[in-house]
Amino acid sequence: MSEARVCPQRMRFEAPLALSSGASIAGYELVYETYGELNAERSNAVLVCHALNASHHVAGLAAEAPHEPGWWDNMVGPGKPVDTRRFFVIGVNNLGSCFGSTGPMSVNPSSGRPYGPDFPVLTVEDWVHTQALLADRLGITQFAAVMGGSLGGMQALAWSYLYPERIRHCVAIATAPKLSAQNIAFNEVARRAILTDPEFHGGRFYDHGVVPARGLQVARMIGHITYLSDDSMAEKFGRALRQSVDRTGPDDYRFTFDVEFEIESYLRYQGEKFSKYFDANTYLLITRALDYFDPAGRAGRDLAEVMRAARSSFFIASFTTDWRFAPERSREIVQALLKAGKPVTYAEINAPHGHDAFLLDDPQYHALVRAYFERVAVVPAAAQEAQ
Amino acid sequence: MSEARVCPQRMRFEAPLALSSGASIAGYELVYETYGELNAERSNAVLVCHALNASHHVAGLAAEAPHEPGWWDNMVGPGKPVDTRRFFVIGVNNLGSCFGSTGPMSVNPSSGRPYGPDFPVLTVEDWVHTQALLADRLGITQFAAVMGGSLGGMQALAWSYLYPERIRHCVAIATAPKLSAQNIAFNEVARRAILTDPEFHGGRFYDHGVVPARGLQVARMIGHITYLSDDSMAEKFGRALRQSVDRTGPDDYRFTFDVEFEIESYLRYQGEKFSKYFDANTYLLITRALDYFDPAGRAGRDLAEVMRAARSSFFIASFTTDWRFAPERSREIVQALLKAGKPVTYAEINAPHGHDAFLLDDPQYHALVRAYFERVAVVPAAAQEAQ
């Protein structure tokens, strides 16, 4: 089936937005894409929130990069679990990211130079507020669902307690109610690799015509290890040696610190690729937003107290081999929701691929999301009146 | 009890040693310490092998650094599980390490400059051969036991199949029969951090009067995360914020990429401390020796085939929360030993501290080692004759 190419759109917000940090930002832009059509009742809108390194380009083929399908193209599209023949889906590049929305690479109007380290530190809640402003401008009073995986799932959760009247279903996959010390530790090592790269220049590397590529590479390599399960790494790479002309036999070591094993080659490739397109300041910002997310921390340490404000139904899913945000972390969310008396569907999916599983095309997983979106498609009478 | 101070000793080896890589090294020195006394039958010697960042200084207080007890001082000493009133214990700094034995910082006789990147890449088996040469010079035909944790445990295992007649007991704790892809991946990220540090200078940083401190810091931070369990990090640090004068309230974020959480402060401190005493080339060498260890790989992929050569008894122990070398990895060793018909005692110790548990003073763990060394102390008649 030949699909229409999707084109990113751009929305500018002049009014200053107060941020969690106490700072504010004005005159910023958000880039977004939409798929499907908003119905006359404006009741079929679904917001898809992205994680660390993704963007507004959720599905389909972008007009400007026809070989790169959206990052959740197996989930969102015509006939897919989130069926764009029924739903009007919005993908938005978060403020502070580096795929078109205003971020550290953008010109700071007060200096005429890129923001760099002067870009304000953001939180998950700040993103949700900007997404709500975008929804206002698109005439969407209430989302049928807000969904996301990992950091995207945190945004979906935050929607449910920040804008309870504006979200009917919260779909939060492979996520956590807050980072653990180990999660923060991995983020911190990645940040140290970037911050100590001499080409970071205190975040003003744009002015020097360089990028802290070495730091970004190491950061991405660390991230990648935490996205894959031990088992999937073992199955995909094991201890296989990389083919090399100077290897005397297929099983013979070369006795070098250069690439010897396939896993090394894979990680270096991923790191190098990433360092060519991702902004270092954005990496710092987004990992910090992850660290800071802790709704219960600001509510007497009881997540159920926070979630009591929600009016939505919830779909929570986790993957058995995800050790970044293990099933246990999703169960914490489920327990809090049950304690708060909220309707919740929970799926613990037997998948070998670790945290990355939320992006992959697992039949059981997709069948569960598809079934849940059958419920999302049913607009209750009360909600119809509210539109 | 006031203990005598221990003094490191030094042994020089002029004869060239053929290494696994095909290279050879001559005129090298090993630094070692001994504790207790070798008995008249020379039947009570125990070799303790060290892991990545430890040294010959296993126990007691060194004369030159009286405030730093040995790295396994809770395990080895008078009245301790490995009782130096009964056993003659030897700690040796491995070839290529940076605590006194010949390594990359040493002068390469063929150039008159530090070896740096020209120091040969080593394997666990190479270390065992150097340790055997040291034992020859000390007049030790057969060790009562060779023991170690982590990489030290790999050396103990290698002793059992390389020198079956020279070891009565193999004590291998918190170790693995080979690294997994994930283990190699973590090593590779650490190496990349070092190799891409501009102050590494291709390994010739000594000539430039600098050290690749940033790379070493990141490497150590990554290592530290893998040494601790998720639970012990949660218990020790959780999401606690670091005290700071500019924090408006005890629970208020400062919105910075500088230290915010206690775990960040801890990791940075560990990284900085490490970068001041550890040699970057040694870090590369030792992580590579870890990667390369795979006795089954060179025996038709069957570890039991390799272990069939062994004549020793085995004590294998693992810790429930160790995710670097999980209990499953020790069970692989146990299964191979059983298949090979070797006497093996296996302990899976319920300890919260992750991989680091092998260094800690856990009563159950120490009681098990103590009990095993009661057996090690019994010298069979056949062995007595062999001395």
Side-chain angles (χ1 to χ4, degrees), chain A residues 188 239 260 268 291-292, chain B residues 188 239 260 268 291-292:
Chain A
E188 168 64 5
R239 295 180 50 84
E260 184 79 296
R268 284 200 203 183
D291 292 354
Y292 281 160
Chain B
E188 168 65 4
R239 295 179 51 83
E260 184 80 294
R268 283 199 203 182
D291 292 354
Y292 281 160

Side-chain angles (χ1 to χ4, degrees), chain A residues 69-129:
Chain A
W71 58 270
W72 223 353
D73 191 59
N74 59 28
M75 180 67 87
V76 175
K80 294 181 182 171
V82 181
D83 190 342
T84 51
R85 295 176 305 202
R86 297 169 96 175
F87 294 104
F88 174 65
V89 177
I90 303 172
V92 54
N93 188 218
N94 282 339
L95 187 67
S97 180
C98 51
F99 298 106
S101 292
T102 300
M105 295 194 295
S106 309
V107 172
N108 181 349
S110 73
S111 71
R113 294 161 57 203
Y115 278 100
D118 298 328
F119 198 84
V121 175
L122 297 169
T123 64
V124 166
E125 286 84 357
D126 291 333
W127 285 327
V128 168
H129 293 310

